[in-house]
Amino acid sequence: MNDFNVIGKSVQKKDGIPKVTGKALFARDIKFESMLYAKVLRSKVAHALLKRVDTSKAEKLPGVAAVLTSKDIPGSNRIGIIMKDEPVLVDDKIRRYGDALAVVAAETEEIAEEALNLIEVEYDELPLVTNVYEALKEDSPKVHGDTNLLTTRTLIKGDVDEAFKKCDVIVEKIYKTNYYAHMFIEPEAGVSKYENGLLTIWASTQNPHFDRGEVARVLGLPQSKVRVVQAETGGGFGGKLDISTQCFLGLLTYHTKKPVKLAYTREESMEVSSKRHPHIMKYKTGADKNGKLIAMEAEFIEDSGAYASYAPAVITRAVVHSTGPYEIPNVRVRASMVYTNNPMAGAFRGFGVPQVSIAHEQQMDMLAEKLNMIPYDIRIINALRVGSYTCTMQKLEDSIGVVETLEKAREKAEEVILNSTCELSSRKRRGVGIGCMWYGIGNTGLPNPASAFLEMHKDGSVTVMAGCADIGQGSNTVMCQIVAETLGVNYEEVNIISADTGSTPDGGATSASRQTYISGNACKKAAEMAKESLMQVAEELLNSPKEDIILKNKRAYVKGHEDNNVSLQEILSRCAAKGIMIVGSGYFNPNTTGLDPHTMQGVPFATYAFATHFIEVEVDIYTGEVKVLKVIAAHDVGKAINRKMVEGQIEGGCLMGMGLGILENLQVENAKMKTLNFSNYLIYTAKDIPEIYPIIVESEESTGPFGAKGVGEPALIPVAPAILNAVHNAIGVRFTEIPLTLEKVVEGLNNKFN
Amino acid sequence: MNDFNVIGKSVQKKDGIPKVTGKALFARDIKFESMLYAKVLRSKVAHALLKRVDTSKAEKLPGVAAVLTSKDIPGSNRIGIIMKDEPVLVDDKIRRYGDALAVVAAETEEIAEEALNLIEVEYDELPLVTNVYEALKEDSPKVHGDTNLLTTRTLIKGDVDEAFKKCDVIVEKIYKTNYYAHMFIEPEAGVSKYENGLLTIWASTQNPHFDRGEVARVLGLPQSKVRVVQAETGGGFGGKLDISTQCFLGLLTYHTKKPVKLAYTREESMEVSSKRHPHIMKYKTGADKNGKLIAMEAEFIEDSGAYASYAPAVITRAVVHSTGPYEIPNVRVRASMVYTNNPMAGAFRGFGVPQVSIAHEQQMDMLAEKLNMIPYDIRIINALRVGSYTCTMQKLEDSIGVVETLEKAREKAEEVILNSTCELSSRKRRGVGIGCMWYGIGNTGLPNPASAFLEMHKDGSVTVMAGCADIGQGSNTVMCQIVAETLGVNYEEVNIISADTGSTPDGGATSASRQTYISGNACKKAAEMAKESLMQVAEELLNSPKEDIILKNKRAYVKGHEDNNVSLQEILSRCAAKGIMIVGSGYFNPNTTGLDPHTMQGVPFATYAFATHFIEVEVDIYTGEVKVLKVIAAHDVGKAINRKMVEGQIEGGCLMGMGLGILENLQVENAKMKTLNFSNYLIYTAKDIPEIYPIIVESEESTGPFGAKGVGEPALIPVAPAILNAVHNAIGVRFTEIPLTLEKVVEGLNNKFN
């Protein structure tokens, strides 16, 4: 059964060679004849009524081809993935620093820049809203409409009030998380072109099909007249899910009919791309004397900044994951998402789950401490298992590997950490902490299908067309592996065309760790439809029913009678002689239900990934520096389609998680971001990688392609909580805010010892 | 039933605006950075053993990037659509003028040209084979292997020898046709590029999927690693079915890894592209005294030139169409296809049928004359009808409109020709002639499927992906009309991506008038699969079974209860809420059988087009000039998907048919073509268009998309025979050779009167 040829193998990434040799074409690299260069005029105030944008002087500057404002938008001037609350170009009110007021296309970037200076803007400033509590007061200035309360969520399972009465131990704590920036290496960029009645945009993006819809709406065109092609994308992490250059490019090419390029500077990207939602989370968790969890109550307040972006998805996901991967019979969570004039928050690897994991994992450790248990045991006791009910009352039935990740991680930790014999100077203290996580694959309680087309060519090689955007995470490779295995052909002979709305069907967003599971299933279904045609002929040639026939190594074999076989080439020749073509299409939508609007009970995800990290840290008690020494990262990914790529995701996730926990420190003052580039927003780089021990747990998911689930975001999530628990283990101080800067550590130590 | 919204309407051609505004990108217009320019070294002798090609001097020329010969071919050095008998670069023997010996890529076209002069070629000349009868003699030099007999065909229906004994009248004649050139306006061109492990070639082509297979074989790559995209194609008419620039480009980019452009000159194109097969046809036809055909015997000898190209398809098609659209109970045809050192013959609008129509249509007129019947009556008596048996013993059951084309054409002729009252000077004589034809749609007795993918977007607009190459004939428009009608959406909102092997599935060749019927059906099937998803939801919303629901004007209606309806947008919203995607794929293969190898009996085509032309000519008996005055062209095309485009095909076909009959005069001397451009190979142009009266007969084909068959080649076929019959009617001289040059007419008149 598990005797795979391609699945589970660390085949070479499809984009590996082009990227390491510098041949891959990013949007910045794309050039067309007579191409114009665009620049965006952005607001230098955060809240104001826009009175006038006078472009007349800019228009007269030689070399300027177009200066557009909101009045030049032929269709809708409101965009957004969930709520259409963001203007392409401001028409009434400025709501944040960096809001776009006008866009220029000129013969050179320099002329475009110069033209920006010639645009006159007049506005009336309004008082700022920068604090979520202030924002919710009745007399607060409003960012949109008549309330700053963007949305709320309430989850109710069981009777929390009664349950707390039965608890032997209860811990309560307030946790806070900051803004974070994705810091993808390639700032947003795109190129547009108009040809044969079709407007095409090449963009650095995670969701070309969404982009296509938005551009079409903004231009008032049918979607079939707009083509968005994902250019090679230098990272995204959620930050390239919102519209960036796409609508500006669409507008400029719509009006000039010329090719246009728009490439953001790092500072521009930093200012306007979405950030991780800052959370304030009040947690109360109770257990019986044996450590069995009985009740949990939580209250979240989250800052969406000036626009909604992915806020409704982030708040939902945060709430349904708020318990961590544990069964708690009574749960009540209330969450509020607030508009402010702060930087826009949005999708960021983990969608709110990294935030809540800071809380639930420390709650677990504190309960264990009170009960005099070890952190491992309290987790094992409460971990979700087959038959458990989640906080949304979803009964778990398949592929629940959290216990196995705990066991495997502990085993490895005993080998590489607990026996660690390193000498420590007195100023350096070491500690070990655990972080567990669960993560629902795909959108939360919403349909989110993906589709694919496929053709096998006359020589048995295959082209698969999938909407799914590979932003470096390797989905192109995974899709080709799935197709190769399904059709019994070589991985190398499968080519993929992806993320081109003109030739690939919708794959949905590359987000929510969904593409392996969802687009993977879509590719598998398309391959299975094509396989049906092959089987028609194989049945004849092998004189056996298709149920007994397997395709492998470019041959068809009769199961149990492997000497009865025929080459794929022979099957294809017979197909050709009969006029049978080997084509297929398919889509897959995970089996979920909507959540009850009052209690959030339901089936938000068809499947979940699980993980346990054991992390060893060293804390310098003089400087407050926290250094991660070792990470044991056990991940239940279902089936690992490509082991090396799964390990790569885990390693990358660890580094980003360390940044979240310790280093990355975004500064916002009066709604204005102060840290706009790598010189003041530090991230960990290759030289900071600790010893990482990835462990792949394969609790195969019956609905997944060959049992696969996902790993993209999970890799990040358990890192910061494990670090916080390890720091507590090292120095006995519990920190409830991230990032754990030098100052915070020193302050924590001072509070403890003074 | 026939209440169509889009089918039958003369909607605007998808490529109309880009072409008339000069925006359409032909391969010559495509540019890439660091692009090299290629030139081909071609043989200046027609038959020789190649001894040596020394490229060393050429390689040293500054600016030269590559000089390749046959030894640089990593895969196979033999190509060809049916028989792999043509070298990409000659490795053993030169077989015709223009055979490619080496190919150069350099920084400029001029350098490439200069490099050609530095290549030293050594060869031993061989005696030429230029006459088909000489070629078949045992002691003739051989072009390939040990015989010049490329292939033969024998068709036997009934007992011809016995049947002739029963005939009251018999006519016998030998007919000859010349070479013809396609004279597409755009000579062959292509551009290649290597990126991300994928070799992409943009080429002026009629069959990108075939090209892809050939390039992959020549380079020894899997087909999925080669992408051939049809660039806008400035005409083809069969002449862009063979490989031209594709393999040279593939080789050069394979070796240099750089983009390369290769654009043929007109003379180069003329020298190496395929020509119409010259036929010598001996016909004997017998009828009873009532004009009922009893027996026909024919013998064809056809010159394929140096390579096979489409020869086996042309000879087969010529034989199965040899009777014309008439039922003849006893038929025997023998045909031979011969290799010579003459220019390579291949596919050309009509595939041998224009040749045989010259014969069978004059035979009909001569029989009528002997029987003192009018040409119209003998055709009506013998025309194929439902229930008739063709010469391959196929029983015709559906969509047989030849009688209707005769009737409609006559009706129109009586209105516009027979009442013609124009004054004639004594030197000008007028006559009217009839030409009838039948034409099997698709490849003859061979599977020739086509496929398509389709996606409906969230706003109801649609993208269809079909392999089918639009070379100006309008297939992109037709496919979009078929899709729009099937899904009840606007034509304008359907976009097509076609003829790109990287993103569209195989559509087979744009030849054999097959795309409307075959790719049209494939697109319809893909649309129907997508429609199933819409219907799932429409059934629910309308509370009616899908059989009762029709999609129209972006709404779904319950048949007979049209007030019960729902908008497509509502259906799509519901689909989105359920995670249902509107995607589809499909392929179609016409229902044919292989032909018996000894008798050619079988079902070569699933459906046939029919036509009748009435043509009025004026012959200047002093100069021999034949002028076509009026053409009544009645075509049974099944259902006309786009009336204006069908009329356009008819008009274009008339002009090309006039060229075939009268003007185009290709000169070959000792295997060398003397007429290499428009200054000595004349064609008719817009200013020569006579009065043309297209009549569309819609004898709907039940297996066709909305009843459609095809019209591409049929439009040409009846023209020349009708002209020859008209000339006979005008001056009483029967001509058996085309083109009917001034000299031939004068000679014919001289023979008659002297």
Side-chain angles (χ1 to χ4, degrees):
Chain A
M1 162 62 195
N2 279 358
D3 181 17
F4 293 128
N5 261 25
V6 191
I7 296 297
K9 302 290 190 299
S10 300
V11 299
Q12 189 181 288
K13 278 186 86 181
K14 288 282 176 190
D15 56 342
I17 300 285
K19 281 191 179 153
V20 298
T21 56
K23 297 275 167 59
L25 273 190
F26 294 83
R28 272 180 173 65
D29 303 323
I30 300 173
K31 283 180 206 162
F32 293 111
E33 237 178 315
S34 318
M35 191 166 75
L36 301 171
Y37 295 83
K39 283 279 172 191
V40 184
L41 181 71
R42 299 193 173 278
S43 172
K44 288 178 182 60
V45 296
H47 204 193
L49 288 175
L50 185 66
K51 309 290 281 182
R52 192 174 65 95
V53 181
D54 186 342
T55 60
S56 52
K57 286 185 194 154
E59 280 163 24
K60 285 176 199 137
L61 184 71
V64 168
V67 186
L68 307 179
T69 63
S70 62
K71 65 178 181 353
D72 300 305
I73 294 174
S76 167
N77 188 19
R78 286 296 180 276
I79 57 173
I81 181 79
I82 300 168
M83 298 162 68
K84 306 290 179 198
D85 68 350
E86 190 184 349
V88 179
L89 291 164
V90 173
D91 46 14
D92 54 357
K93 211 174 95 160
I94 292 160
R95 294 179 175 87
R96 62 159 172 172
Y97 283 99
D99 261 349
L101 308 178
V103 61
V104 173
E107 282 166 16
T108 68
E109 233 174 331
E110 293 68 27
I111 297 174
E113 190 77 50
E114 202 185 329
L116 292 189
N117 297 326
L118 299 176
I119 302 173
E120 288 168 16
V121 182
E122 206 180 304
Y123 50 79
D124 286 346
E125 272 203 76
L126 295 167
L128 286 180
V129 192
T130 60
N131 173 289
V132 285
Y133 294 112
E134 296 296 321
L136 291 180
K137 288 184 182 159
E138 218 163 286
D139 60 352
S140 162
K142 303 295 184 283
V143 181
H144 296 263
D146 53 12
T147 173
N148 289 323
L149 189 61
L150 194 158
T151 190
T152 62
R153 295 289 182 275
T154 305
L155 181 146
I156 299 171
K157 175 191 180 187
D159 185 336
V160 169
D161 298 322
E162 276 307 305
F164 270 120
K165 293 177 190 163
K166 296 176 196 151
C167 291
D168 296 313
V169 287
I170 291 175
V171 293
E172 272 191 89
K173 207 85 177 175
I174 293 173
Y175 302 89
K176 285 187 189 171
T177 66
N178 194 17
Y179 291 99
Y180 286 89
H182 309 86
M183 298 313 257
F184 31 75
I185 293 304
E186 178 215 16
E188 296 84 342
V191 177
S192 53
K193 187 167 152 179
Y194 181 79
E195 206 173 279
N196 294 4
L198 189 67
L199 178 77
T200 303
I201 296 170
W202 290 260
S204 183
T205 178
Q206 299 182 235
N207 196 353
H209 284 80
F210 163 69
D211 300 350
R212 190 255 311 264
E214 292 295 80
V215 172
R217 277 180 52 255
V218 168
L219 298 180
L221 293 174
Q223 295 198 7
S224 59
K225 301 278 185 185
V226 177
R227 182 176 187 171
V228 176
V229 185
Q230 183 213 3
E232 288 289 356
T233 298
F237 309 108
K240 288 174 181 166
L241 286 167
D242 298 293
I243 292 291
S244 58
T245 62
Q246 297 88 332
C247 292
F248 299 134
L249 289 166
L251 279 167
L252 288 167
T253 290
Y254 179 95
H255 284 288
T256 63
K257 296 276 178 296
K258 287 201 174 171
V260 180
K261 178 181 285 189
L262 172 55
Y264 284 5
T265 63
R266 171 62 61 187
E267 287 72 15
E268 187 176 22
S269 163
M270 191 71 167
E271 186 164 42
V272 299
S273 68
S274 72
K275 300 290 163 286
R276 189 182 288 287
H277 288 85
H279 276 208
I280 300 169
M281 301 168 288
K282 193 173 160 189
Y283 260 78
K284 179 179 172 187
T285 318
D288 69 14
K289 59 181 186 307
N290 301 315
K292 192 81 191 147
L293 295 169
I294 295 175
M296 188 199 98
E297 185 172 16
E299 218 178 302
F300 304 159
I301 187 159
E302 310 176 21
D303 188 352
S304 185
Y307 299 106
S309 175
Y310 271 81
V314 168
I315 190 173
T316 304
R317 191 179 272 276
V319 170
V320 304
H321 285 84
S322 59
T323 57
Y326 312 110
E327 187 171 31
I328 310 180
N330 304 284
V331 181
R332 187 170 60 216
V333 186
R334 291 201 179 88
S336 301
M337 181 64 81
V338 183
Y339 276 132
T340 65
N341 296 119
N342 287 328
M344 180 180 85
F348 192 166
R349 200 176 191 178
F351 273 87
V353 183
Q355 289 95 315
V356 300
S357 74
I358 298 298
H360 64 64
E361 285 307 279
Q362 295 205 85
Q363 293 287 102
M364 292 303 277
D365 266 31
M366 286 187 282
L367 281 171
E369 199 180 358
K370 278 203 174 180
L371 289 162
N372 211 17
M373 294 173 76
I374 60 166
Y376 178 83
D377 286 345
I378 196 170
R379 287 176 168 85
I380 285 285
I381 289 168
N382 293 290
L384 292 166
R385 288 166 167 82
V386 170
S388 297
Y389 286 88
T390 68
C391 58
T392 68
M393 280 303 281
Q394 176 176 359
K395 188 175 179 187
L396 298 178
E397 306 196 349
D398 193 13
S399 182
I400 316 300
V402 58
V403 170
E404 198 180 339
T405 64
L406 272 157
E407 291 167 349
K408 289 266 171 71
R410 177 176 181 159
E411 209 174 286
K412 191 73 186 174
E414 282 172 353
E415 181 194 332
V416 301
I417 299 183
L418 305 186
N419 298 329
S420 143
T421 55
C422 224
E423 280 301 305
L424 282 179
S425 68
S426 59
R427 64 181 270 193
K428 304 249 175 110
R429 306 287 161 84
R430 285 198 180 173
V432 176
I434 307 180
C436 287
M437 77 102 226
W438 66 326
Y439 196 79
I441 300 299
N443 295 2
T444 313
L446 294 171
N448 63 129
S451 50
F453 297 142
L454 181 142
E455 184 185 24
M456 180 178 278
H457 313 306
K458 293 197 173 75
D459 63 355
S461 63
V462 176
T463 299
V464 55
M465 282 137 259
C468 166
D470 191 336
I471 57 169
Q473 87 281 22
S475 53
N476 281 348
T477 304
V478 164
M479 299 306 138
C480 291
Q481 287 186 268
I482 288 170
V483 165
E485 189 71 49
T486 307
L487 293 169
V489 299
N490 300 333
Y491 163 75
E492 291 73 19
E493 289 174 59
V494 181
N495 186 43
I496 184 166
I497 305 288
S498 63
D500 171 352
T501 72
S503 65
T504 68
D506 199 347
T510 288
S511 71
S513 303
R514 61 187 286 284
Q515 294 294 19
T516 295
Y517 180 64
I518 302 178
S519 280
N521 264 321
C523 289
K524 189 156 181 275
K525 284 174 106 171
E528 280 163 355
M529 181 173 163
K531 186 175 165 182
E532 277 299 303
S533 297
L534 293 173
M535 283 301 187
Q536 250 178 277
V537 165
E539 280 189 327
E540 241 181 71
L541 291 174
L542 295 172
N543 198 22
S544 300
K546 63 183 176 191
E547 293 70 27
D548 295 345
I549 299 174
I550 50 169
L551 296 179
K552 201 159 192 164
N553 297 321
K554 303 186 89 174
R555 296 195 83 78
Y557 296 87
V558 178
K559 260 181 272 182
H561 304 81
E562 276 73 11
D563 50 323
N564 187 9
N565 65 68
V566 62
S567 73
L568 179 61
Q569 204 47 63
E570 211 164 320
I571 295 173
L572 288 171
S573 302
R574 184 71 70 99
C575 286
K578 286 169 166 274
I580 296 173
M581 295 195 74
I582 318 301
V583 294
S585 57
Y587 75 89
F588 177 80
N589 184 43
N591 192 12
T592 64
T593 66
L595 300 179
D596 181 279
H598 305 295
T599 63
M600 297 182 77
Q601 303 296 281
V603 178
F605 303 105
T607 186
Y608 295 83
F610 300 93
T612 298
H613 284 198
F614 274 59
I615 291 186
E616 186 183 25
V617 300
E618 187 180 84
V619 184
D620 183 324
I621 58 170
Y622 292 4
T623 64
E625 187 187 14
V626 176
K627 197 169 162 192
V628 174
L629 302 177
K630 286 173 184 162
V631 182
I632 320 279
H635 281 262
D636 169 18
V637 300
K639 177 77 194 168
I641 303 288
N642 185 309
R643 293 188 71 87
K644 195 168 285 297
M645 280 169 40
V646 169
E647 290 171 3
Q649 281 285 1
I650 292 173
E651 287 161 7
C654 284
L655 213 64
M656 192 176 246
M658 285 162 51
L660 179 85
I662 304 169
L663 184 69
E664 300 181 30
N665 194 12
L666 196 145
Q667 302 291 314
V668 178
E669 228 178 78
N670 292 326
K672 190 164 175 57
M673 224 181 302
K674 314 297 280 182
T675 43
L676 289 171
N677 55 43
F678 286 108
S679 69
N680 46 28
Y681 186 89
L682 305 180
I683 66 168
Y684 284 119
T685 63
K687 70 169 183 38
D688 304 306
I689 296 177
E691 280 178 44
I692 300 175
Y693 301 89
I695 298 167
I696 299 175
V697 170
E698 293 185 317
S699 166
E700 291 180 19
E701 164 60 42
S702 61
T703 65
F706 299 103
K709 299 192 290 196
V711 72
E713 291 155 295
L716 162 83
I717 298 168
V719 182
I723 291 172
L724 290 168
N725 284 333
V727 168
H728 179 264
N729 182 243
I731 60 172
V733 183
R734 186 142 307 276
F735 293 94
T736 56
E737 284 187 34
I738 53 168
L740 195 51
T741 55
L742 304 179
E743 295 84 349
K744 281 205 200 94
V745 173
V746 169
E747 190 192 337
L749 284 163
N750 284 344
N751 291 343
K752 180 179 169 159
F753 294 112
N754 298 328
Chain B
M1 164 57 198
N2 278 357
D3 181 17
F4 293 127
N5 261 26
V6 191
I7 296 298
K9 302 289 189 300
S10 299
V11 299
Q12 188 181 289
K13 277 186 87 180
K14 288 282 176 191
D15 56 341
I17 300 285
K19 281 192 179 153
V20 298
T21 56
K23 297 276 167 58
L25 274 189
F26 294 82
R28 271 177 174 67
D29 303 321
I30 301 173
K31 282 181 205 161
F32 294 111
E33 240 179 311
S34 317
M35 192 166 74
L36 301 170
Y37 295 83
K39 283 279 173 191
V40 184
L41 181 71
R42 299 194 174 278
S43 172
K44 289 177 183 61
V45 298
H47 204 192
L49 289 174
L50 185 65
K51 309 290 282 182
R52 192 175 65 96
V53 182
D54 185 343
T55 61
S56 52
K57 284 184 196 153
E59 280 162 23
K60 284 178 199 135
L61 183 68
V64 168
V67 187
L68 307 179
T69 64
S70 62
K71 67 179 179 352
D72 299 305
I73 294 173
S76 166
N77 188 21
R78 285 297 178 278
I79 57 173
I81 181 79
I82 300 168
M83 296 162 68
K84 305 291 180 201
D85 68 350
E86 189 183 350
V88 178
L89 291 164
V90 173
D91 46 14
D92 54 355
K93 211 174 97 159
I94 293 161
R95 293 180 176 87
R96 62 159 173 172
Y97 283 100
D99 260 350
L101 308 178
V103 60
V104 173
E107 283 164 18
T108 67
E109 235 175 328
E110 293 68 28
I111 298 174
E113 190 77 50
E114 201 185 328
L116 292 188
N117 297 327
L118 298 175
I119 301 172
E120 289 169 14
V121 181
E122 206 180 304
Y123 50 79
D124 285 346
E125 273 202 78
L126 296 167
L128 285 181
V129 192
T130 61
N131 174 290
V132 286
Y133 295 111
E134 295 295 322
L136 292 179
K137 289 186 181 158
E138 217 164 285
D139 59 352
S140 163
K142 303 295 183 282
V143 183
H144 296 263
D146 53 12
T147 172
N148 290 323
L149 188 61
L150 195 159
T151 189
T152 62
R153 295 288 181 274
T154 304
L155 181 146
I156 299 171
K157 174 192 181 189
D159 185 336
V160 169
D161 297 323
E162 277 307 306
F164 270 119
K165 293 178 192 163
K166 297 176 196 150
C167 292
D168 296 310
V169 286
I170 291 176
V171 294
E172 274 191 88
K173 207 84 173 173
I174 293 172
Y175 302 89
K176 285 187 189 171
T177 66
N178 195 17
Y179 290 99
Y180 288 89
H182 309 85
M183 297 315 255
F184 32 74
I185 293 304
E186 178 214 16
E188 297 85 341
V191 177
S192 54
K193 188 169 153 179
Y194 181 79
E195 205 173 279
N196 294 6
L198 188 67
L199 178 77
T200 303
I201 297 171
W202 290 260
S204 183
T205 178
Q206 298 182 234
N207 196 353
H209 283 81
F210 164 69
D211 299 349
R212 189 253 314 264
E214 292 296 81
V215 173
R217 276 180 53 255
V218 168
L219 298 180
L221 293 175
Q223 295 197 6
S224 59
K225 302 277 185 186
V226 178
R227 182 176 187 171
V228 176
V229 185
Q230 182 213 4
E232 289 288 356
T233 299
F237 309 107
K240 288 175 181 166
L241 286 167
D242 298 293
I243 292 292
S244 59
T245 63
Q246 297 89 332
C247 292
F248 300 134
L249 288 167
L251 279 167
L252 288 167
T253 290
Y254 179 96
H255 284 288
T256 63
K257 296 276 179 295
K258 288 199 174 173
V260 179
K261 179 181 285 189
L262 173 55
Y264 284 5
T265 62
R266 172 62 61 187
E267 287 72 16
E268 188 176 20
S269 164
M270 191 71 167
E271 186 163 42
V272 300
S273 68
S274 72
K275 301 289 164 285
R276 188 182 289 286
H277 288 85
H279 277 208
I280 301 168
M281 301 168 288
K282 193 173 160 188
Y283 261 79
K284 178 178 173 189
T285 318
D288 69 14
K289 60 180 183 310
N290 301 315
K292 191 81 191 149
L293 295 169
I294 296 176
M296 188 199 98
E297 184 172 17
E299 216 177 305
F300 304 159
I301 186 158
E302 311 176 22
D303 187 352
S304 185
Y307 300 106
S309 176
Y310 272 79
V314 169
I315 191 174
T316 305
R317 190 179 274 276
V319 170
V320 304
H321 285 84
S322 59
T323 57
Y326 312 110
E327 187 170 32
I328 310 180
N330 305 283
V331 181
R332 186 171 58 216
V333 186
R334 292 201 179 89
S336 302
M337 182 64 79
V338 182
Y339 277 131
T340 65
N341 296 118
N342 287 329
M344 179 180 84
F348 192 163
R349 202 175 190 178
F351 274 86
V353 183
Q355 290 95 315
V356 300
S357 73
I358 299 297
H360 64 66
E361 285 307 278
Q362 296 206 85
Q363 294 286 103
M364 291 304 277
D365 266 31
M366 285 187 283
L367 282 171
E369 199 180 359
K370 280 204 173 181
L371 290 160
N372 211 16
M373 294 172 76
I374 61 166
Y376 178 83
D377 286 346
I378 196 168
R379 288 177 168 84
I380 285 285
I381 289 168
N382 293 290
L384 293 165
R385 288 165 166 82
V386 171
S388 297
Y389 286 89
T390 68
C391 58
T392 68
M393 280 303 280
Q394 176 177 0
K395 188 176 179 188
L396 299 178
E397 307 196 349
D398 193 13
S399 182
I400 316 299
V402 59
V403 170
E404 198 180 340
T405 63
L406 272 156
E407 291 168 349
K408 291 267 171 70
R410 177 176 181 160
E411 208 173 287
K412 190 73 185 172
E414 281 171 354
E415 181 194 331
V416 302
I417 300 183
L418 303 187
N419 297 328
S420 142
T421 54
C422 225
E423 281 298 308
L424 280 180
S425 71
S426 62
R427 64 182 270 192
K428 304 247 175 114
R429 306 287 163 85
R430 285 196 181 174
V432 178
I434 307 180
C436 288
M437 76 103 227
W438 65 326
Y439 196 78
I441 300 298
N443 295 2
T444 312
L446 294 170
N448 63 129
S451 49
F453 297 142
L454 180 143
E455 184 186 24
M456 179 178 277
H457 313 307
K458 292 194 173 74
D459 64 355
S461 63
V462 176
T463 299
V464 55
M465 282 137 260
C468 166
D470 190 336
I471 57 170
Q473 88 281 21
S475 55
N476 280 348
T477 304
V478 164
M479 300 306 138
C480 291
Q481 286 186 267
I482 288 170
V483 165
E485 190 70 50
T486 307
L487 293 168
V489 299
N490 300 333
Y491 163 75
E492 290 73 19
E493 290 175 58
V494 180
N495 186 43
I496 184 165
I497 305 289
S498 63
D500 171 353
T501 72
S503 64
T504 68
D506 198 346
T510 288
S511 72
S513 303
R514 59 187 287 283
Q515 294 294 19
T516 295
Y517 181 64
I518 302 179
S519 281
N521 264 322
C523 289
K524 189 155 181 276
K525 285 176 107 172
E528 280 164 354
M529 180 173 162
K531 186 176 166 182
E532 277 297 304
S533 297
L534 294 173
M535 282 301 186
Q536 250 179 278
V537 165
E539 281 190 326
E540 241 181 70
L541 292 174
L542 294 172
N543 198 22
S544 298
K546 62 184 178 192
E547 293 70 26
D548 294 346
I549 299 175
I550 50 168
L551 296 178
K552 199 157 194 163
N553 296 322
K554 302 185 91 175
R555 297 194 82 79
Y557 297 86
V558 178
K559 259 180 272 183
H561 304 81
E562 275 73 10
D563 50 323
N564 186 10
N565 66 67
V566 61
S567 74
L568 179 61
Q569 204 47 65
E570 212 167 318
I571 296 172
L572 288 171
S573 302
R574 185 71 70 97
C575 286
K578 286 169 165 272
I580 295 173
M581 296 195 75
I582 318 301
V583 295
S585 57
Y587 75 89
F588 178 80
N589 183 44
N591 193 11
T592 63
T593 65
L595 299 180
D596 181 278
H598 305 296
T599 64
M600 296 182 77
Q601 302 297 282
V603 178
F605 304 104
T607 187
Y608 295 83
F610 300 94
T612 299
H613 285 199
F614 273 59
I615 292 186
E616 186 185 24
V617 300
E618 187 182 85
V619 183
D620 183 323
I621 59 169
Y622 291 5
T623 64
E625 188 188 12
V626 177
K627 200 171 161 191
V628 174
L629 303 177
K630 286 173 184 163
V631 182
I632 321 273
H635 281 262
D636 168 17
V637 301
K639 177 77 192 166
I641 303 289
N642 185 310
R643 294 188 70 86
K644 195 170 283 298
M645 279 168 40
V646 169
E647 290 171 3
Q649 281 284 358
I650 292 173
E651 288 161 7
C654 284
L655 213 64
M656 192 175 245
M658 284 161 51
L660 180 85
I662 305 168
L663 185 69
E664 301 181 28
N665 194 12
L666 197 145
Q667 301 291 315
V668 178
E669 228 179 80
N670 292 326
K672 190 164 175 57
M673 226 180 303
K674 313 298 279 182
T675 44
L676 289 170
N677 54 44
F678 286 107
S679 69
N680 46 29
Y681 186 88
L682 304 181
I683 65 169
Y684 285 118
T685 63
K687 70 167 182 43
D688 304 305
I689 297 178
E691 280 177 47
I692 300 175
Y693 301 89
I695 298 168
I696 300 175
V697 170
E698 293 185 318
S699 167
E700 293 181 17
E701 165 60 42
S702 61
T703 65
F706 299 102
K709 299 191 290 195
V711 71
E713 290 154 296
L716 161 84
I717 298 168
V719 181
I723 291 172
L724 291 168
N725 283 333
V727 168
H728 179 264
N729 181 242
I731 60 172
V733 184
R734 188 145 301 280
F735 293 95
T736 56
E737 285 188 32
I738 52 167
L740 196 49
T741 54
L742 306 180
E743 297 83 351
K744 280 202 200 97
V745 174
V746 170
E747 190 192 337
L749 284 162
N750 284 345
N751 291 343
K752 182 182 166 152
F753 294 112
N754 297 329

